[in-house]
Amino acid sequence: MGTKKLFYSLSSPSTNFLIVGDDRYFLLTVANGVPIFVPDRCPHRGGPLHLGKFVEDGRKIKCPWHRYCWRKESIERKFLPVIVNRQCLTLAIPKNGNKEMKIKEIHKAFML
Ligand code: FES
């Protein structure tokens, strides 16, 4: 049985950060016009990857907490599926049980 999803349409094209319940997602890149939102938790100990830096010609992301580097493509694999319908972008966000999840959209400056 797969993970339940919450379908959420972004209200603004400038949104690049989402807070969903206890989880955070940031816009890592845009591929073929499709935004790639990924979890903002470093695989090591949950550091804020959106505050990291691209290194090795953009192939890796250096976490700001312990400075481990992660391949960008391994982070990209955790992307939120997105449905593009004209100007509307709808993200499929993993749902944590039946709990109601508050979603907050943010536009913020990244260090990446
Ligand atoms: S939390 Fe990212 S390197 Fe430790």
Tab-separated table of all heavy atoms in Angstrom, residues 46-80:
chain	number	residue	atom	x	y	z
A	46	GLY	N	19.270	16.076	9.528
A	46	GLY	CA	18.111	16.954	9.325
A	46	GLY	C	18.410	18.418	9.150
A	46	GLY	O	17.505	19.250	9.286
A	47	GLY	N	19.643	18.764	8.855
A	47	GLY	CA	19.999	20.175	8.660
A	47	GLY	C	19.220	20.815	7.512
A	47	GLY	O	18.698	20.127	6.634
A	48	PRO	N	19.150	22.143	7.515
A	48	PRO	CA	18.373	22.872	6.497
A	48	PRO	C	19.142	22.965	5.174
A	48	PRO	O	19.923	23.891	4.964
A	48	PRO	CB	18.186	24.257	7.132
A	48	PRO	CG	19.399	24.414	7.999
A	48	PRO	CD	19.765	23.041	8.489
A	49	LEU	N	18.898	22.025	4.289
A	49	LEU	CA	19.646	21.983	3.023
A	49	LEU	C	19.479	23.251	2.196
A	49	LEU	O	20.363	23.606	1.428
A	49	LEU	CB	19.218	20.775	2.190
A	49	LEU	CG	19.809	19.436	2.614
A	49	LEU	CD1	19.325	18.345	1.666
A	49	LEU	CD2	21.318	19.483	2.657
A	50	HIS	N	18.338	23.934	2.341
A	50	HIS	CA	18.139	25.138	1.523
A	50	HIS	C	19.154	26.227	1.868
A	50	HIS	O	19.343	27.163	1.110
A	50	HIS	CB	16.708	25.664	1.638
A	50	HIS	CG	16.439	26.462	2.874
A	50	HIS	ND1	16.240	25.888	4.119
A	50	HIS	CD2	16.354	27.801	3.067
A	50	HIS	CE1	16.041	26.837	5.009
A	50	HIS	NE2	16.092	28.005	4.394
A	51	LEU	N	19.806	26.094	3.008
A	51	LEU	CA	20.836	27.064	3.385
A	51	LEU	C	22.235	26.578	3.029
A	51	LEU	O	23.233	27.192	3.383
A	51	LEU	CB	20.763	27.358	4.889
A	51	LEU	CG	19.469	28.032	5.346
A	51	LEU	CD1	19.471	28.219	6.859
A	51	LEU	CD2	19.296	29.374	4.641
A	52	GLY	N	22.293	25.440	2.336
A	52	GLY	CA	23.585	24.902	1.922
A	52	GLY	C	24.128	25.625	0.699
A	52	GLY	O	23.622	26.679	0.296
A	53	LYS	N	25.186	25.057	0.162
A	53	LYS	CA	25.815	25.642	-1.027
A	53	LYS	C	26.025	24.564	-2.062
A	53	LYS	O	26.321	23.417	-1.725
A	53	LYS	CB	27.180	26.232	-0.669
A	53	LYS	CG	27.101	27.460	0.150
A	53	LYS	CD	28.472	28.045	0.369
A	53	LYS	CE	28.306	29.351	1.142
A	53	LYS	NZ	29.528	29.875	1.653
A	54	PHE	N	25.882	24.982	-3.333
A	54	PHE	CA	26.261	24.073	-4.405
A	54	PHE	C	27.778	24.053	-4.482
A	54	PHE	O	28.417	25.106	-4.424
A	54	PHE	CB	25.689	24.537	-5.753
A	54	PHE	CG	24.221	24.250	-5.912
A	54	PHE	CD1	23.324	25.272	-6.139
A	54	PHE	CD2	23.743	22.949	-5.848
A	54	PHE	CE1	21.968	25.016	-6.296
A	54	PHE	CE2	22.388	22.681	-6.005
A	54	PHE	CZ	21.505	23.714	-6.228
A	55	VAL	N	28.327	22.860	-4.592
A	55	VAL	CA	29.775	22.708	-4.759
A	55	VAL	C	30.018	21.736	-5.909
A	55	VAL	O	29.080	21.093	-6.401
A	55	VAL	CB	30.451	22.208	-3.455
A	55	VAL	CG1	30.337	23.239	-2.344
A	55	VAL	CG2	29.862	20.879	-3.001
A	56	GLU	N	31.292	21.609	-6.283
A	56	GLU	CA	31.678	20.721	-7.382
A	56	GLU	C	30.831	20.989	-8.630
A	56	GLU	O	30.159	20.094	-9.156
A	56	GLU	CB	31.610	19.250	-6.965
A	56	GLU	CG	32.591	18.919	-5.864
A	56	GLU	CD	32.678	17.439	-5.565
A	56	GLU	OE1	32.297	16.614	-6.404
A	56	GLU	OE2	33.128	17.125	-4.455
A	57	ASP	N	30.874	22.247	-9.060
A	57	ASP	CA	30.143	22.673	-10.266
A	57	ASP	C	28.653	22.369	-10.185
A	57	ASP	O	28.022	22.007	-11.185
A	57	ASP	CB	30.728	22.029	-11.524
A	57	ASP	CG	32.126	22.516	-11.813
A	57	ASP	OD1	32.403	23.703	-11.503
A	57	ASP	OD2	32.924	21.730	-12.339
A	58	GLY	N	28.090	22.469	-8.993
A	58	GLY	CA	26.646	22.284	-8.838
A	58	GLY	C	26.207	20.839	-8.763
A	58	GLY	O	25.016	20.563	-8.685
A	59	ARG	N	27.157	19.913	-8.770
A	59	ARG	CA	26.774	18.490	-8.707
A	59	ARG	C	26.444	18.050	-7.289
A	59	ARG	O	25.790	17.029	-7.087
A	59	ARG	CB	27.879	17.611	-9.284
A	59	ARG	CG	28.072	17.774	-10.784
A	59	ARG	CD	28.999	16.708	-11.330
A	59	ARG	NE	30.217	16.574	-10.551
A	59	ARG	CZ	31.344	17.227	-10.788
A	59	ARG	NH1	31.420	18.056	-11.778
A	59	ARG	NH2	32.402	17.037	-10.022
A	60	LYS	N	26.929	18.799	-6.290
A	60	LYS	CA	26.679	18.414	-4.900
A	60	LYS	C	26.189	19.614	-4.101
A	60	LYS	O	26.428	20.762	-4.468
A	60	LYS	CB	27.948	17.852	-4.262
A	60	LYS	CG	28.368	16.522	-4.839
A	60	LYS	CD	29.538	15.951	-4.083
A	60	LYS	CE	29.860	14.556	-4.618
A	60	LYS	NZ	30.986	13.966	-3.894
A	61	ILE	N	25.530	19.300	-2.991
A	61	ILE	CA	25.060	20.328	-2.061
A	61	ILE	C	25.778	20.104	-0.745
A	61	ILE	O	25.786	18.992	-0.212
A	61	ILE	CB	23.544	20.221	-1.838
A	61	ILE	CG1	22.800	20.400	-3.159
A	61	ILE	CG2	23.082	21.231	-0.803
A	61	ILE	CD1	21.325	20.049	-3.065
A	62	LYS	N	26.387	21.186	-0.243
A	62	LYS	CA	27.086	21.096	1.042
A	62	LYS	C	26.153	21.589	2.138
A	62	LYS	O	25.678	22.733	2.099
A	62	LYS	CB	28.352	21.945	1.025
A	62	LYS	CG	29.148	21.861	2.316
A	62	LYS	CD	30.318	22.810	2.308
A	62	LYS	CE	31.531	22.076	1.818
A	62	LYS	NZ	32.755	22.901	1.968
A	63	CYS	N	25.854	20.727	3.084
A	63	CYS	CA	24.948	21.082	4.185
A	63	CYS	C	25.618	22.108	5.102
A	63	CYS	O	26.808	22.001	5.389
A	63	CYS	CB	24.592	19.809	4.967
A	63	CYS	SG	23.551	20.141	6.398
A	64	PRO	N	24.858	23.091	5.576
A	64	PRO	CA	25.458	24.124	6.423
A	64	PRO	C	25.791	23.645	7.839
A	64	PRO	O	26.557	24.301	8.539
A	64	PRO	CB	24.386	25.215	6.456
A	64	PRO	CG	23.100	24.489	6.252
A	64	PRO	CD	23.436	23.346	5.317
A	65	TRP	N	25.241	22.528	8.261
A	65	TRP	CA	25.484	22.116	9.650
A	65	TRP	C	26.820	21.402	9.847
A	65	TRP	O	27.654	21.858	10.602
A	65	TRP	CB	24.342	21.220	10.133
A	65	TRP	CG	23.123	21.992	10.570
A	65	TRP	CD1	22.895	23.329	10.407
A	65	TRP	CD2	21.973	21.480	11.234
A	65	TRP	NE1	21.662	23.666	10.911
A	65	TRP	CE2	21.078	22.549	11.435
A	65	TRP	CE3	21.605	20.211	11.662
A	65	TRP	CZ2	19.846	22.393	12.055
A	65	TRP	CZ3	20.384	20.053	12.279
A	65	TRP	CH2	19.517	21.135	12.481
A	66	HIS	N	27.032	20.277	9.205
A	66	HIS	CA	28.272	19.513	9.399
A	66	HIS	C	29.102	19.443	8.131
A	66	HIS	O	30.079	18.716	8.067
A	66	HIS	CB	27.951	18.094	9.905
A	66	HIS	CG	27.069	18.076	11.113
A	66	HIS	ND1	25.715	17.813	11.036
A	66	HIS	CD2	27.330	18.333	12.416
A	66	HIS	CE1	25.185	17.893	12.243
A	66	HIS	NE2	26.133	18.214	13.100
A	67	ARG	N	28.637	20.158	7.112
A	67	ARG	CA	29.378	20.333	5.859
A	67	ARG	C	29.572	19.047	5.054
A	67	ARG	O	30.483	18.944	4.254
A	67	ARG	CB	30.727	20.998	6.118
A	67	ARG	CG	30.616	22.217	7.017
A	67	ARG	CD	31.372	23.391	6.490
A	67	ARG	NE	31.331	24.538	7.369
A	67	ARG	CZ	30.306	25.395	7.419
A	67	ARG	NH1	29.267	25.228	6.668
A	67	ARG	NH2	30.335	26.426	8.244
A	68	TYR	N	28.704	18.060	5.292
A	68	TYR	CA	28.732	16.891	4.413
A	68	TYR	C	28.164	17.315	3.070
A	68	TYR	O	27.282	18.184	3.002
A	68	TYR	CB	27.897	15.740	4.969
A	68	TYR	CG	28.468	15.043	6.164
A	68	TYR	CD1	29.675	15.421	6.739
A	68	TYR	CD2	27.791	13.976	6.752
A	68	TYR	CE1	30.187	14.766	7.842
A	68	TYR	CE2	28.306	13.308	7.860
A	68	TYR	CZ	29.498	13.718	8.393
A	68	TYR	OH	29.998	13.072	9.491
A	69	CYS	N	28.665	16.657	2.024
A	69	CYS	CA	28.186	16.969	0.680
A	69	CYS	C	27.328	15.819	0.159
A	69	CYS	O	27.666	14.653	0.351
A	69	CYS	CB	29.370	17.204	-0.260
A	69	CYS	SG	30.288	18.691	0.162
A	70	TRP	N	26.257	16.184	-0.494
A	70	TRP	CA	25.302	15.205	-1.027
A	70	TRP	C	25.140	15.430	-2.509
A	70	TRP	O	25.046	16.572	-2.957
A	70	TRP	CB	23.942	15.355	-0.322
A	70	TRP	CG	24.078	15.313	1.156
A	70	TRP	CD1	24.136	16.370	2.012
A	70	TRP	CD2	24.221	14.141	1.960
A	70	TRP	NE1	24.296	15.936	3.301
A	70	TRP	CE2	24.356	14.558	3.299
A	70	TRP	CE3	24.240	12.772	1.693
A	70	TRP	CZ2	24.510	13.677	4.357
A	70	TRP	CZ3	24.397	11.888	2.746
A	70	TRP	CH2	24.529	12.345	4.056
A	71	ARG	N	25.103	14.339	-3.245
A	71	ARG	CA	24.881	14.468	-4.688
A	71	ARG	C	23.506	15.089	-4.929
A	71	ARG	O	22.507	14.650	-4.354
A	71	ARG	CB	24.983	13.112	-5.379
A	71	ARG	CG	26.416	12.613	-5.469
A	71	ARG	CD	26.549	11.336	-6.234
A	71	ARG	NE	25.494	10.397	-5.887
A	71	ARG	CZ	24.806	9.688	-6.777
A	71	ARG	NH1	25.082	9.776	-8.042
A	71	ARG	NH2	23.871	8.866	-6.395
A	72	LYS	N	23.482	16.083	-5.800
A	72	LYS	CA	22.227	16.778	-6.091
A	72	LYS	C	21.178	15.804	-6.596
A	72	LYS	O	20.019	15.854	-6.207
A	72	LYS	CB	22.491	17.885	-7.114
A	72	LYS	CG	21.287	18.728	-7.430
A	72	LYS	CD	21.629	19.783	-8.456
A	72	LYS	CE	20.367	20.416	-8.995
A	72	LYS	NZ	20.572	21.038	-10.290
A	73	GLU	N	21.605	14.869	-7.441
A	73	GLU	CA	20.612	13.946	-7.999
A	73	GLU	C	20.023	13.021	-6.933
A	73	GLU	O	18.873	12.602	-7.057
A	73	GLU	CB	21.186	13.159	-9.176
A	73	GLU	CG	22.476	12.481	-8.891
A	73	GLU	CD	23.194	12.016	-10.150
A	73	GLU	OE1	23.386	12.810	-11.087
A	73	GLU	OE2	23.569	10.852	-10.163
A	74	SER	N	20.784	12.713	-5.878
A	74	SER	CA	20.202	11.863	-4.829
A	74	SER	C	19.170	12.650	-4.020
A	74	SER	O	18.184	12.090	-3.539
A	74	SER	CB	21.287	11.263	-3.925
A	74	SER	OG	21.861	12.256	-3.123
A	75	ILE	N	19.386	13.954	-3.890
A	75	ILE	CA	18.392	14.802	-3.213
A	75	ILE	C	17.169	14.973	-4.124
A	75	ILE	O	16.027	14.908	-3.671
A	75	ILE	CB	19.005	16.178	-2.855
A	75	ILE	CG1	20.204	16.011	-1.910
A	75	ILE	CG2	17.951	17.104	-2.236
A	75	ILE	CD1	19.905	15.387	-0.568
A	76	GLU	N	17.423	15.131	-5.417
A	76	GLU	CA	16.324	15.328	-6.373
A	76	GLU	C	15.383	14.123	-6.417
A	76	GLU	O	14.197	14.273	-6.697
A	76	GLU	CB	16.870	15.572	-7.787
A	76	GLU	CG	17.364	16.967	-8.005
A	76	GLU	CD	17.992	17.146	-9.379
A	76	GLU	OE1	18.411	16.153	-9.989
A	76	GLU	OE2	18.071	18.298	-9.821
A	77	ARG	N	15.915	12.946	-6.140
A	77	ARG	CA	15.072	11.740	-6.199
A	77	ARG	C	13.929	11.782	-5.187
A	77	ARG	O	12.974	11.025	-5.293
A	77	ARG	CB	15.906	10.488	-5.939
A	77	ARG	CG	16.591	10.009	-7.172
A	77	ARG	CD	17.166	8.625	-6.989
A	77	ARG	NE	18.383	8.562	-7.769
A	77	ARG	CZ	19.595	8.443	-7.268
A	77	ARG	NH1	19.770	8.302	-5.992
A	77	ARG	NH2	20.637	8.435	-8.049
A	78	LYS	N	14.041	12.652	-4.205
A	78	LYS	CA	12.998	12.739	-3.171
A	78	LYS	C	11.977	13.826	-3.496
A	78	LYS	O	11.264	14.304	-2.627
A	78	LYS	CB	13.654	13.035	-1.820
A	78	LYS	CG	14.642	11.967	-1.405
A	78	LYS	CD	15.390	12.384	-0.171
A	78	LYS	CE	16.514	11.405	0.121
A	78	LYS	NZ	17.419	11.920	1.135
A	79	PHE	N	11.928	14.225	-4.782
A	79	PHE	CA	11.067	15.338	-5.185
A	79	PHE	C	9.594	15.044	-4.907
A	79	PHE	O	9.180	13.883	-4.853
A	79	PHE	CB	11.262	15.660	-6.673
A	79	PHE	CG	10.691	14.633	-7.604
A	79	PHE	CD1	9.429	14.817	-8.168
A	79	PHE	CD2	11.391	13.492	-7.918
A	79	PHE	CE1	8.893	13.879	-9.034
A	79	PHE	CE2	10.857	12.532	-8.777
A	79	PHE	CZ	9.609	12.727	-9.335
A	80	LEU	N	8.851	16.127	-4.764
A	80	LEU	CA	7.396	16.010	-4.673
A	80	LEU	C	6.849	15.921	-6.091
A	80	LEU	O	7.148	16.787	-6.921
A	80	LEU	CB	6.785	17.245	-3.994
A	80	LEU	CG	7.119	17.468	-2.531
A	80	LEU	CD1	6.481	18.782	-2.054
A	80	LEU	CD2	6.647	16.308	-1.687
